[in-house]
Amino acid sequence: MSILIPHPDFTAPRLAAAPEARFVPAPADGVLPEGFFATTNLPTYAKIDGRWRMPREPRMDAALVRDAEGALWAREGRRVRAGQLVAVGAAEDGSEGILVNVPGAGANGAGEFKFMSSEVSREKPIDYALMARILVDERERGGYPVWVAGPALVHSRARADMTWFVRNGFVGAFLAGNAVAVHDIEAAIFGTTLGMTGTGESTSGGHGLHMRAINRVRAAGSITAAVRQEIVTGGIMHALVEKDVPFVLCGSIRDDGPLPDVITDMVAAQDAMRAHTTRATMAVLVATALHAIATGNMLPAFVAESDTADDALPTLRELPTICVDSAEFVVSKLKDRGTHQAFGVVTNAQDFMHILRLYVERELAERGAGVLA
Amino acid sequence: MSILIPHPDFTAPRLAAAPEARFVPAPADGVLPEGFFATTNLPTYAKIDGRWRMPREPRMDAALVRDAEGALWAREGRRVRAGQLVAVGAAEDGSEGILVNVPGAGANGAGEFKFMSSEVSREKPIDYALMARILVDERERGGYPVWVAGPALVHSRARADMTWFVRNGFVGAFLAGNAVAVHDIEAAIFGTTLGMTGTGESTSGGHGLHMRAINRVRAAGSITAAVRQEIVTGGIMHALVEKDVPFVLCGSIRDDGPLPDVITDMVAAQDAMRAHTTRATMAVLVATALHAIATGNMLPAFVAESDTADDALPTLRELPTICVDSAEFVVSKLKDRGTHQAFGVVTNAQDFMHILRLYVERELAERGAGVLA
Amino acid sequence: MSILIPHPDFTAPRLAAAPEARFVPAPADGVLPEGFFATTNLPTYAKIDGRWRMPREPRMDAALVRDAEGALWAREGRRVRAGQLVAVGAAEDGSEGILVNVPGAGANGAGEFKFMSSEVSREKPIDYALMARILVDERERGGYPVWVAGPALVHSRARADMTWFVRNGFVGAFLAGNAVAVHDIEAAIFGTTLGMTGTGESTSGGHGLHMRAINRVRAAGSITAAVRQEIVTGGIMHALVEKDVPFVLCGSIRDDGPLPDVITDMVAAQDAMRAHTTRATMAVLVATALHAIATGNMLPAFVAESDTADDALPTLRELPTICVDSAEFVVSKLKDRGTHQAFGVVTNAQDFMHILRLYVERELAERGAGVLA
Amino acid sequence: MSILIPHPDFTAPRLAAAPEARFVPAPADGVLPEGFFATTNLPTYAKIDGRWRMPREPRMDAALVRDAEGALWAREGRRVRAGQLVAVGAAEDGSEGILVNVPGAGANGAGEFKFMSSEVSREKPIDYALMARILVDERERGGYPVWVAGPALVHSRARADMTWFVRNGFVGAFLAGNAVAVHDIEAAIFGTTLGMTGTGESTSGGHGLHMRAINRVRAAGSITAAVRQEIVTGGIMHALVEKDVPFVLCGSIRDDGPLPDVITDMVAAQDAMRAHTTRATMAVLVATALHAIATGNMLPAFVAESDTADDALPTLRELPTICVDSAEFVVSKLKDRGTHQAFGVVTNAQDFMHILRLYVERELAERGAGVLA
């Protein structure tokens, strides 16, 4: 069961020729010399008197200290006394006399111990400026950004921001489910979503309001008809109709209604989605595991600049894919289902939309482009 | 094992006197009449010919339909045919002939079926405008808002926003752990946090940078000394020192270093925190389970406007407590530990800080107040 | 913006007649007398010399101490010195001279400060013994438990346990999506799920195996045909076919294939589900937000022991609904969508199934009932 | 901003010499031939008439179809008609005439498209049998497994299982915080944790019970004294005292009390932990972010079979490190802080402990070893 970790081959020329580790006295109690070697939790060797030696009590975030008896210790900085000899150096590959055995580094010793190497984490910064530049670039070059949204986008105030992106030409196609449109239209007609007000309060009689919204659209015949008849006078679906942006509403087993525009057959719905995913030059997936993974399944990881059927192979570039969810899990799942190119943003959909809009507005202002309210 | 659900007492005067349920024909196939009664999943009774009857195939989000044979059904709107009789009414307490037996409603029938009644959910809207008004009010009245922050605040770009709040007088005291100050100072000196750049890249040699930052402050003697010696020239800790805002850095078992300012004894650290929690007029807890719950333990749920030792009892008001975390769990845990008054915001700390600052800037502009960059 | 908290009406007879608070000396430094009053973070009043007084430095988890000057303090036990006077009593309603103003307690003072009052939390114990008794009871009385499962059930080893529940008569109907059946059949044919082995390793060529599994069933014509032709010789779907347990596979927008048995039209799929939800006497929802909420939408919160169309109203009992997910969020969302009766279990589906089976086996052994392997 | 994806170098000998892609007719409508090539979302090339061509409408989980006009398409199996030509082959490196351009695969084309490659996921199976074998091996060889536990272990019934592991010799040292011991002792004295019963109910007066438990131990002077005086007669702490297993209780800023055994100074506490982490031959970290990361900071990633100070370098083996949490986040965070060797188990602590014990019992039975109740 035990997994043995072999020592490095110290007879290799590079290591045989390595210099001795260098030690410098600590300037004060609990203070290390500048340039001290910072330990890791991996097997570590310092070359002393021509021999590679391992420290006692190894641990990360410590220094290597040689005590009066010549013994080598990994020791926390606070425990080092003035004048004790502390190893210095930054290289972990032996070139300064200290070698760290990084797993998977291979014979060339190219590995390096690192923090923060997980792919998706709420602790990673979110580069809104970059995303804003990509979006504005896409608009400028006439790209076809496909947006895929879940209902959390509508429950919260992100609805206004999503509407703004539609109105201002950042949406090539909008893919969602029945619930997104239902909540959006409930908000347009009654000012609530699932009976909850914009400040999060439940309303009396609220649990039936989404059913009443659905019923009014069914009576009108379609969402477009409901917009034309001024039953629906604002919000995302209204903007999509007004701006003639194509949308696909795919049914699901948990739908109420559904709205007349919803494609209830999943094979037909995937066919309708494909018409957009094959044209996509960018994808923004917000707050939906189901639709994000569905879209990821259908989306190439790349954009071909010309028809792949041409005699000459087209220029290819990465298809920017942004996946926003409040849990790392959805992004990891999307990647585990093969959408490796997804760039994960772990945050609340409402906040994401608001800040992204802010950065896009700034980017537009810098480029001197106008904006609709 | 079975939990029986008794029927309501239909002999009670209110129910005995209730009118018959009203039925109206559906205007078209799959379209319900306006004002249709929207069902729940609870036991439901319609008064028909003087008798309270239950529908067949009960479910929520349906209508009550009387078929040609007089049988009563819960039926989805899409399955209703033109002319079928559909119950109308909004009241669930029998006053319009339809009664829903809501658990816990009591004899007075005051209960009501509702959606979205959970206390903490990422699906709830975040009222930044309200939080901004409270913060500006606090500053105007000379309140003492206590901020409690976890390291996620510094990993991401929220560091600049936190610094802004300190510089502009919104922070009465700042409570955090060693890691917050270490990351902040690593960012000030090296531009990284745990060796990760502001755009989320790992840097070569990065894993040792936080140790080097700690070592420089230990050499200087204290954070204040490091600021005075211009080792630390920006960021949160720098602003706290410059603006003379008190801070408490409480140690924890996972600390590297620690920094010289960290109170390593937990009893002493709680005593130091208490000096601020007893004065607090507001609390903002961002991205830290440990410190949020610690502060919640020490924080009254109320503010006394005058000394409680006075002969007259002081005026009391709720202590506004905002708890921000990317998971519902931390807020629920805080409430489960007794901090019932906490208002939970489920989002990414970076985004929270950025939008909150934006709203505070707007609020200040509306009130004609100035701002420091 | 400030929410004022009124003081209780101390002229009310119950409070006017309340006794004085009782104080007892602390037996040793840092040790409180038995029966000490444990504080909360709410406004608290002790009756001293006929007057209701509030302590200084209020906080929870402290004692009420009267110092030598007669001042009243909330003080942590560790700070109390031997001989200091400490309030004793358990009642928070004034009946022992100490009153806690619990929000929402109403005039009758029935409120009480409590920890751990959130509805859904991973910190709550899971009562497997109770769930096992309910399942065995259901089998004995010929109930109709509806199981609803997500793909995590099949990725992990819970597949064997689910199969066991089918074989041993605990499943009235099985509702799931395409993915559950695809993973199960991939496991039956190739021993992998999405190309991952039972110990979590990716296999070479693995990403296509689920497509090959789908293709074989499509070639056979149906899952039942694939079982009859011994293409599928084990697992959940095999057991359902062999034991003649009805199943409904509902399509979704993210399906590969789909398998021929999948109902791709969502309206037809809901109709197929309704045939089972209207008969359900119990529901077990494991590791699926989509199908759990879909089922919750269609499921009454109660079971009628006889036909609701009969002249006499039927006996009603609660419909036991167990919802298992690894995040509190899904259970809260289910409740927020109206399925209030759901009992949430926050754990990994694999572990849930394994322990539930173990407890059911024990319950069966106690009742002397036999088991199939 | 665009990241270009170069085409492979088709003039390389391996590709120049590659055979033509092979096509086979589909046997029936919607059914692919056995051995069909399953597509990915990456740039894909099929060699046809000596030329590498890309399919139209590329997507994953599809087949490559040549239509009557000779055009190449990525097409879902359900859309393929009987007799259409479908590419066959499993290799993605061109050796069967089809090439997938996997990012990072390098010139040698060793890359392969894979699902389920994330490191930590609740969807991955948990290998309890392996963990049980490691634990029993450790006991047999006289290893020193260090257990690190958070309070969720005690809230739920895992307390009995943890006690069992202590009693049966699987625990070399036990590292935890004040809360673990407080909850355990509250359970021993009052049968509750934070006033919640073993079945999850809040009890009247329950919020003070943990304070009363602390107070009794403070009165006794230490946990050991409380065990000797039969104030504490069962549970984890009782078993540790009875079996003479060393434990370290590290303080934290959120502690109530604390118990007299808690080391409140963090530097002293780390020193006390180090005495155990330097001897550890295995680590089990359950349900605690704080203590897990603290321990990870101090723990080498390897075990040295002899003293590292000896002249000969010791044999090294990986230090088995199991990290259990209900969220992927904690395990990822642990890895992001450098504990790369951690094996993550995403589940509920209660269920983990129960199943692990079950598997250890089985392993012991297989090896003919006895067990204490």
Side-chain angles (χ1 to χ4, degrees):
Chain A
M1 204 82 72
S2 295
I3 300 171
L4 294 181
I5 307 171
H7 295 291
D9 176 9
F10 293 114
T11 65
R14 197 173 56 77
L15 295 182
E20 292 275 300
R22 229 160 41 84
F23 289 83
V24 164
D29 281 3
V31 180
L32 298 166
E34 271 297 304
F36 68 91
F37 181 85
T39 63
T40 73
N41 58 356
L42 300 171
T44 299
Y45 309 82
K47 197 166 186 178
I48 298 175
D49 300 334
R51 200 161 62 82
W52 291 95
R53 292 171 55 191
M54 301 187 77
R56 285 180 156 181
E57 301 192 348
R59 61 160 294 174
M60 72 171 84
D61 295 330
L64 294 179
V65 175
R66 249 179 113 172
D67 69 13
E69 288 75 42
L72 188 66
W73 301 84
R75 189 147 285 176
E76 298 88 343
R78 66 175 182 271
R79 298 169 69 208
V80 173
R81 298 301 91 188
Q84 281 190 321
L85 293 174
V86 176
V88 294
E92 299 180 349
D93 63 356
S95 62
E96 298 181 64
I98 305 176
L99 181 68
V100 179
N101 192 0
V102 178
N108 60 359
E112 187 188 333
F113 180 85
K114 277 185 184 168
F115 288 140
M116 300 305 293
S117 54
S118 72
E119 284 200 52
V120 181
S121 167
R122 67 193 74 170
E123 292 189 313
K124 301 236 161 170
I126 305 173
D127 197 341
Y128 284 103
L130 174 64
M131 290 188 281
R133 281 200 303 277
I134 296 175
L135 269 168
V136 177
D137 283 352
E138 283 292 321
R139 194 177 75 163
E140 286 188 355
R141 77 166 93 177
Y144 198 77
V146 172
W147 290 66
V148 182
L153 202 86
V154 194
H155 271 307
S156 59
R157 283 174 305 175
R159 179 173 173 254
D161 296 313
M162 185 71 237
T163 302
W164 182 90
F165 281 107
V166 174
R167 290 209 166 283
N168 281 282
F170 292 101
V171 180
F174 185 77
L175 312 183
N178 182 62
V180 165
V182 168
H183 295 335
D184 177 60
I185 291 172
E186 181 189 333
I189 300 178
F190 299 108
T192 56
T193 54
L194 286 182
M196 176 176 69
T197 68
T199 53
E201 307 297 313
S202 292
T203 55
S204 177
H207 75 81
L209 294 180
H210 69 297
M211 300 310 300
R212 302 190 195 290
I214 292 168
N215 195 52
R216 294 215 188 150
V217 179
R218 290 180 70 94
S222 73
I223 292 172
T224 299
V227 169
R228 303 274 180 258
Q229 296 169 30
E230 297 186 12
I231 293 165
V232 174
T233 57
I236 300 169
M237 300 313 300
H238 177 265
L240 291 167
V241 169
E242 293 270 297
K243 299 291 289 186
D244 240 339
V245 174
F247 60 87
V248 179
L249 300 180
C250 301
S252 92
I253 191 68
R254 84 182 194 214
D255 291 345
D256 292 315
L259 290 167
D261 305 70
V262 169
I263 305 177
T264 60
D265 184 79
M266 293 302 96
V267 171
Q270 287 193 14
D271 289 348
M273 285 173 71
R274 193 193 311 106
H276 303 290
T277 55
T278 55
R279 292 181 58 194
T281 59
M282 179 181 186
V284 188
L285 320 170
V286 188
T288 166
L290 176 64
H291 293 263
I293 293 173
T295 304
N297 278 357
M298 302 179 67
L299 205 62
F302 58 94
V303 181
E305 299 282 2
S306 56
D307 193 330
T308 52
D310 289 351
D311 273 1
L313 288 172
T315 299
L316 305 184
R317 56 185 179 86
E318 264 195 25
L319 194 151
T321 305
I322 298 167
C323 179
V324 184
D325 203 90
S326 54
E328 283 88 354
F329 177 62
V330 169
V331 186
S332 290
K333 187 165 180 172
L334 182 67
K335 287 171 172 284
D336 272 351
R337 299 305 186 273
T339 307
H340 301 287
Q341 83 276 12
F343 174 74
V345 179
V346 180
T347 191
N348 180 295
Q350 172 184 8
D351 289 348
F352 172 81
M353 293 299 289
H354 201 67
I355 303 184
L356 184 62
R357 171 180 169 176
L358 189 75
Y359 275 81
V360 168
E361 286 177 328
R362 283 181 198 163
E363 183 71 25
L364 292 172
E366 274 176 32
R367 301 193 192 187
V371 175
L372 298 175
Chain B
M1 204 82 72
S2 295
I3 300 171
L4 294 181
I5 306 172
H7 294 291
D9 176 9
F10 293 114
T11 64
R14 197 173 57 76
L15 296 181
E20 291 275 300
R22 228 159 41 85
F23 289 83
V24 164
D29 281 2
V31 180
L32 298 166
E34 270 296 303
F36 68 91
F37 181 85
T39 63
T40 74
N41 58 357
L42 300 171
T44 299
Y45 309 82
K47 197 167 186 178
I48 298 175
D49 301 334
R51 199 160 63 81
W52 291 95
R53 292 171 54 191
M54 300 187 78
R56 285 181 156 181
E57 300 193 348
R59 62 160 294 174
M60 71 171 85
D61 295 330
L64 294 179
V65 175
R66 250 180 111 171
D67 70 13
E69 288 76 41
L72 188 66
W73 299 85
R75 190 147 284 176
E76 299 88 344
R78 66 176 181 269
R79 298 169 69 208
V80 173
R81 300 299 92 189
Q84 281 190 320
L85 292 175
V86 177
V88 293
E92 299 180 350
D93 63 356
S95 62
E96 299 181 64
I98 304 175
L99 181 68
V100 179
N101 192 0
V102 179
N108 60 359
E112 188 189 333
F113 180 85
K114 277 184 182 167
F115 288 139
M116 300 305 293
S117 54
S118 73
E119 284 199 52
V120 182
S121 166
R122 68 193 73 170
E123 292 188 313
K124 301 236 161 168
I126 305 173
D127 197 342
Y128 284 102
L130 174 64
M131 290 187 281
R133 281 200 303 277
I134 295 175
L135 269 168
V136 178
D137 283 352
E138 283 291 321
R139 193 177 76 163
E140 287 188 357
R141 77 165 94 175
Y144 197 78
V146 171
W147 291 65
V148 182
L153 201 87
V154 194
H155 270 308
S156 58
R157 282 174 307 176
R159 179 173 172 255
D161 296 313
M162 185 70 238
T163 303
W164 182 91
F165 281 107
V166 174
R167 290 210 165 283
N168 282 282
F170 291 102
V171 180
F174 185 76
L175 312 184
N178 182 62
V180 166
V182 168
H183 295 335
D184 177 61
I185 291 172
E186 181 189 333
I189 299 178
F190 299 108
T192 56
T193 55
L194 286 183
M196 176 176 69
T197 68
T199 53
E201 307 298 313
S202 293
T203 55
S204 178
H207 75 83
L209 294 180
H210 69 296
M211 299 309 300
R212 302 190 195 291
I214 292 168
N215 195 53
R216 293 211 189 153
V217 179
R218 291 179 69 93
S222 73
I223 293 172
T224 299
V227 169
R228 302 277 181 255
Q229 297 170 27
E230 297 187 10
I231 294 165
V232 174
T233 57
I236 300 169
M237 300 313 300
H238 177 265
L240 291 166
V241 169
E242 293 270 299
K243 300 291 289 187
D244 240 339
V245 173
F247 60 87
V248 178
L249 300 180
C250 301
S252 92
I253 191 67
R254 84 181 193 215
D255 291 346
D256 291 315
L259 290 167
D261 305 70
V262 169
I263 305 177
T264 59
D265 184 78
M266 293 301 95
V267 170
Q270 287 193 14
D271 289 349
M273 286 173 71
R274 193 193 312 106
H276 302 290
T277 54
T278 55
R279 293 181 57 193
T281 60
M282 179 180 187
V284 187
L285 319 171
V286 188
T288 166
L290 176 64
H291 293 263
I293 293 173
T295 304
N297 277 358
M298 301 179 67
L299 206 62
F302 59 93
V303 181
E305 300 283 2
S306 55
D307 193 331
T308 52
D310 288 352
D311 273 1
L313 287 172
T315 299
L316 305 183
R317 56 185 180 85
E318 264 196 25
L319 195 153
T321 306
I322 299 167
C323 179
V324 184
D325 203 89
S326 54
E328 284 87 354
F329 177 61
V330 169
V331 186
S332 291
K333 188 166 180 172
L334 183 66
K335 287 172 172 283
D336 272 351
R337 299 304 185 276
T339 307
H340 301 287
Q341 83 276 12
F343 174 74
V345 179
V346 180
T347 191
N348 179 297
Q350 172 183 8
D351 289 349
F352 172 80
M353 293 299 290
H354 201 68
I355 303 185
L356 184 63
R357 171 180 168 175
L358 191 74
Y359 275 80
V360 168
E361 287 178 328
R362 284 182 198 160
E363 182 71 25
L364 291 172
E366 275 176 32
R367 300 194 192 186
V371 175
L372 298 175
Chain C
M1 204 79 72
S2 295
I3 301 170
L4 294 182
I5 307 171
H7 294 291
D9 176 8
F10 293 113
T11 64
R14 197 172 57 76
L15 295 182
E20 292 275 298
R22 228 158 42 85
F23 289 83
V24 164
D29 281 4
V31 180
L32 298 166
E34 271 297 302
F36 68 91
F37 181 85
T39 63
T40 74
N41 58 357
L42 300 170
T44 299
Y45 308 83
K47 197 166 188 178
I48 298 175
D49 300 334
R51 200 161 62 81
W52 291 95
R53 294 170 54 191
M54 299 187 79
R56 287 181 153 181
E57 301 193 346
R59 60 160 295 174
M60 73 170 85
D61 296 329
L64 295 179
V65 174
R66 251 180 113 173
D67 69 12
E69 287 76 42
L72 189 65
W73 301 84
R75 189 146 284 175
E76 299 88 343
R78 66 174 181 270
R79 298 169 68 209
V80 174
R81 299 298 92 190
Q84 280 190 322
L85 292 175
V86 177
V88 292
E92 299 181 350
D93 63 356
S95 62
E96 300 181 61
I98 305 174
L99 182 67
V100 179
N101 192 359
V102 179
N108 59 2
E112 188 190 333
F113 180 84
K114 277 186 184 166
F115 288 140
M116 301 305 294
S117 54
S118 73
E119 283 200 55
V120 182
S121 167
R122 67 193 74 170
E123 293 189 312
K124 300 238 162 169
I126 306 173
D127 197 341
Y128 283 103
L130 174 64
M131 290 188 282
R133 279 200 303 277
I134 295 175
L135 269 168
V136 177
D137 282 353
E138 283 292 322
R139 193 177 76 165
E140 286 187 357
R141 77 165 94 177
Y144 197 78
V146 171
W147 290 67
V148 182
L153 201 86
V154 194
H155 270 309
S156 58
R157 282 175 304 176
R159 179 173 172 257
D161 295 314
M162 185 70 237
T163 303
W164 183 90
F165 280 108
V166 174
R167 291 209 165 283
N168 281 282
F170 291 100
V171 180
F174 185 77
L175 312 182
N178 183 61
V180 165
V182 168
H183 294 335
D184 177 61
I185 291 172
E186 180 189 334
I189 300 178
F190 299 109
T192 56
T193 54
L194 287 181
M196 175 176 68
T197 67
T199 54
E201 308 296 313
S202 293
T203 54
S204 176
H207 75 82
L209 294 181
H210 70 296
M211 300 308 299
R212 302 190 195 289
I214 292 168
N215 195 54
R216 294 213 189 150
V217 179
R218 290 180 70 93
S222 72
I223 293 172
T224 299
V227 169
R228 301 277 180 256
Q229 296 169 28
E230 297 186 10
I231 293 166
V232 175
T233 57
I236 300 169
M237 300 313 299
H238 177 265
L240 292 166
V241 169
E242 292 270 297
K243 300 290 290 186
D244 240 338
V245 174
F247 59 88
V248 178
L249 300 180
C250 300
S252 92
I253 192 67
R254 86 182 192 214
D255 291 345
D256 293 315
L259 290 168
D261 305 71
V262 168
I263 305 176
T264 60
D265 185 77
M266 293 301 96
V267 171
Q270 287 193 14
D271 289 349
M273 285 174 71
R274 193 195 310 107
H276 302 289
T277 54
T278 54
R279 291 182 58 193
T281 58
M282 180 181 186
V284 188
L285 320 170
V286 188
T288 167
L290 176 63
H291 293 264
I293 292 172
T295 304
N297 278 359
M298 302 179 68
L299 205 62
F302 58 93
V303 181
E305 299 283 2
S306 56
D307 193 332
T308 52
D310 289 351
D311 274 2
L313 288 172
T315 299
L316 305 183
R317 58 187 178 84
E318 264 195 27
L319 195 152
T321 305
I322 299 167
C323 179
V324 184
D325 204 89
S326 54
E328 282 86 355
F329 177 60
V330 170
V331 185
S332 291
K333 188 165 180 173
L334 182 67
K335 287 171 173 285
D336 272 352
R337 298 307 185 274
T339 307
H340 301 286
Q341 83 276 12
F343 173 75
V345 178
V346 180
T347 192
N348 180 296
Q350 172 183 8
D351 289 349
F352 172 80
M353 293 299 288
H354 201 67
I355 303 185
L356 184 62
R357 170 180 168 176
L358 190 75
Y359 275 81
V360 168
E361 287 178 328
R362 282 182 198 160
E363 182 71 24
L364 291 172
E366 274 176 32
R367 300 195 192 185
V371 176
L372 297 175
Chain D
M1 205 80 73
S2 295
I3 300 170
L4 294 181
I5 306 171
H7 294 292
D9 175 9
F10 293 115
T11 64
R14 198 174 56 78
L15 295 181
E20 291 276 299
R22 226 157 45 84
F23 288 83
V24 164
D29 280 4
V31 179
L32 298 166
E34 270 296 303
F36 67 92
F37 181 86
T39 63
T40 74
N41 57 358
L42 300 170
T44 299
Y45 309 82
K47 197 167 187 177
I48 298 175
D49 300 334
R51 201 161 61 82
W52 292 95
R53 293 171 55 192
M54 299 187 79
R56 286 181 154 181
E57 302 193 348
R59 61 160 296 174
M60 71 171 86
D61 296 329
L64 295 179
V65 175
R66 252 181 110 170
D67 70 12
E69 287 75 44
L72 188 66
W73 301 83
R75 190 145 286 175
E76 299 88 342
R78 66 175 181 270
R79 298 169 68 209
V80 173
R81 299 299 93 191
Q84 280 190 321
L85 292 175
V86 177
V88 293
E92 299 180 350
D93 62 357
S95 61
E96 300 182 62
I98 306 175
L99 182 67
V100 180
N101 193 359
V102 179
N108 60 359
E112 188 188 333
F113 180 84
K114 277 185 184 167
F115 288 140
M116 301 305 294
S117 54
S118 73
E119 283 200 53
V120 182
S121 166
R122 67 193 74 170
E123 293 189 312
K124 300 236 161 170
I126 305 173
D127 197 342
Y128 283 103
L130 175 63
M131 290 188 281
R133 279 200 302 277
I134 295 175
L135 269 169
V136 177
D137 283 352
E138 282 292 321
R139 193 178 76 164
E140 285 187 357
R141 78 165 93 176
Y144 198 77
V146 171
W147 291 65
V148 182
L153 200 86
V154 194
H155 270 308
S156 58
R157 282 175 304 174
R159 180 174 172 255
D161 296 314
M162 185 70 236
T163 303
W164 182 91
F165 281 107
V166 174
R167 291 210 164 282
N168 282 282
F170 291 101
V171 180
F174 185 78
L175 313 182
N178 182 62
V180 166
V182 168
H183 294 336
D184 176 61
I185 291 173
E186 181 189 334
I189 299 179
F190 299 109
T192 56
T193 55
L194 286 182
M196 175 176 69
T197 67
T199 53
E201 308 297 314
S202 293
T203 54
S204 177
H207 76 81
L209 293 181
H210 69 298
M211 301 309 299
R212 301 190 196 290
I214 292 168
N215 196 52
R216 293 212 189 152
V217 179
R218 290 179 70 93
S222 73
I223 293 173
T224 300
V227 169
R228 301 275 181 259
Q229 296 170 28
E230 297 186 10
I231 293 166
V232 174
T233 57
I236 300 169
M237 301 313 298
H238 177 266
L240 292 167
V241 169
E242 292 270 298
K243 300 289 290 186
D244 241 338
V245 173
F247 59 87
V248 178
L249 300 180
C250 301
S252 92
I253 192 68
R254 86 182 192 214
D255 291 344
D256 291 315
L259 290 167
D261 304 71
V262 168
I263 305 177
T264 60
D265 184 78
M266 294 300 96
V267 171
Q270 287 193 13
D271 289 349
M273 285 174 71
R274 193 194 310 106
H276 302 290
T277 55
T278 55
R279 291 181 59 192
T281 59
M282 180 181 187
V284 187
L285 320 170
V286 188
T288 167
L290 176 63
H291 293 263
I293 293 172
T295 304
N297 277 0
M298 302 179 68
L299 205 63
F302 59 93
V303 181
E305 299 283 0
S306 55
D307 193 332
T308 52
D310 290 351
D311 275 359
L313 288 172
T315 299
L316 304 184
R317 56 187 180 85
E318 265 196 26
L319 195 152
T321 305
I322 299 167
C323 180
V324 184
D325 204 89
S326 53
E328 282 87 354
F329 177 61
V330 170
V331 186
S332 291
K333 188 165 181 175
L334 183 67
K335 287 172 172 286
D336 272 352
R337 298 306 185 274
T339 307
H340 300 288
Q341 82 276 12
F343 173 75
V345 178
V346 181
T347 190
N348 180 296
Q350 172 182 8
D351 289 349
F352 172 80
M353 293 298 289
H354 201 67
I355 303 185
L356 184 63
R357 170 180 168 175
L358 189 75
Y359 274 79
V360 168
E361 286 178 329
R362 283 183 197 160
E363 182 71 24
L364 291 172
E366 275 176 32
R367 300 195 192 186
V371 175
L372 298 176

